[in-house]
Amino acid sequence: MIPFVLIAAAAQAQPLDTFDDVAAWRAASSDGVSATATAVPGATDKALQLRYDFAKVSGYAFVRRALPITFPANWEMRLKVRGTGGVNDLQIKFTDADGTNVWWVTKPNFRPSADWQELRIRPRDVQFAWGPTTDKRLKSTQAVEIVVVRGRDGGAGTIEVDDWTFEALPRPVRCPHRWQAMHARPMATGQRSPRAR
């Protein structure tokens, strides 16, 4: 396999959402599960809190907002997360406008920490989940969702998010000379190069 390297990035991370205003976010859930979205003190200024309660049922709770994103060939997202509650599954979804086609990042058996932790998301972390599109490459989406799905523990808890950033990175560049050097075979003693005359 030919190795890849990255040229130093000139671009800087840009905010996708600072969560200082959470009015664009809407909470929803499956039957029997409660979900509310509110603003709370954050890592910087305010954060978005999803408060959920699975009661005695399986299901999911989520927050969603319209947020158009065009994805370059290489990129990185960073998102600060903390919360309360037991071990459940955390998902971050990227969808088209009506939610028909979905790409997601899944964090099974996620236990939120009381302290802020940073999630880093890169192209390799995102998978096509479902939808009728024949082109499953992640090129552009119109909305995002942060989802808690009942896992091992269920119960009630919170997920808080803050400082969501997006950074376009340089495209990986092939290094053919390095690859050739790594795979060059030494010649036997006395063997002449095929180019020797």
Side-chain angles (χ1 to χ4, degrees), residues 17-25 36-51 63 65 79-83 113-117 146 158-164:
D17 199 328
T18 62
F19 300 101
D20 293 339
D21 182 358
V22 301
W25 291 88
T36 58
T38 55
V40 296
T44 54
D45 204 357
K46 296 180 181 179
L48 170 68
Q49 181 191 81
L50 167 62
R51 182 176 293 275
V63 285
R65 69 157 291 181
L79 176 65
K80 293 177 181 176
V81 180
R82 72 176 180 182
S113 168
D115 298 320
W116 290 106
Q117 55 184 306
I146 299 170
T158 61
I159 291 291
E160 297 177 7
V161 291
D162 199 2
D163 296 335
W164 197 349

Side-chain angles (χ1 to χ4, degrees), residues 25-95:
W25 291 88
R26 295 289 182 268
S29 63
S30 57
D31 293 342
V33 180
S34 66
T36 58
T38 55
V40 296
T44 54
D45 204 357
K46 296 180 181 179
L48 170 68
Q49 181 191 81
L50 167 62
R51 182 176 293 275
Y52 63 87
D53 190 348
F54 291 109
K56 296 182 179 180
V57 301
S58 295
Y60 54 86
F62 67 95
V63 285
R64 175 184 172 91
R65 69 157 291 181
L67 185 62
I69 303 174
T70 299
F71 294 88
N74 196 22
W75 50 269
E76 180 180 78
M77 287 182 179
R78 297 190 180 199
L79 176 65
K80 293 177 181 176
V81 180
R82 72 176 180 182
T84 62
V87 174
N88 291 292
D89 297 346
L90 179 66
Q91 301 173 352
I92 299 173
K93 295 180 179 178
F94 308 93
T95 79

Side-chain angles (χ1 to χ4, degrees), residues 64 94-103 128-133 145:
R64 175 184 172 91
F94 308 93
T95 79
D96 51 16
D98 60 2
T100 302
N101 295 294
V102 179
W103 291 258
F128 180 74
W130 63 79
T133 183
E145 297 178 5

Side-chain angles (χ1 to χ4, degrees), residues 145-160:
E145 297 178 5
I146 299 170
V147 189
V148 181
V149 180
R150 178 163 185 164
R152 189 192 74 183
D153 294 341
T158 61
I159 291 291
E160 297 177 7

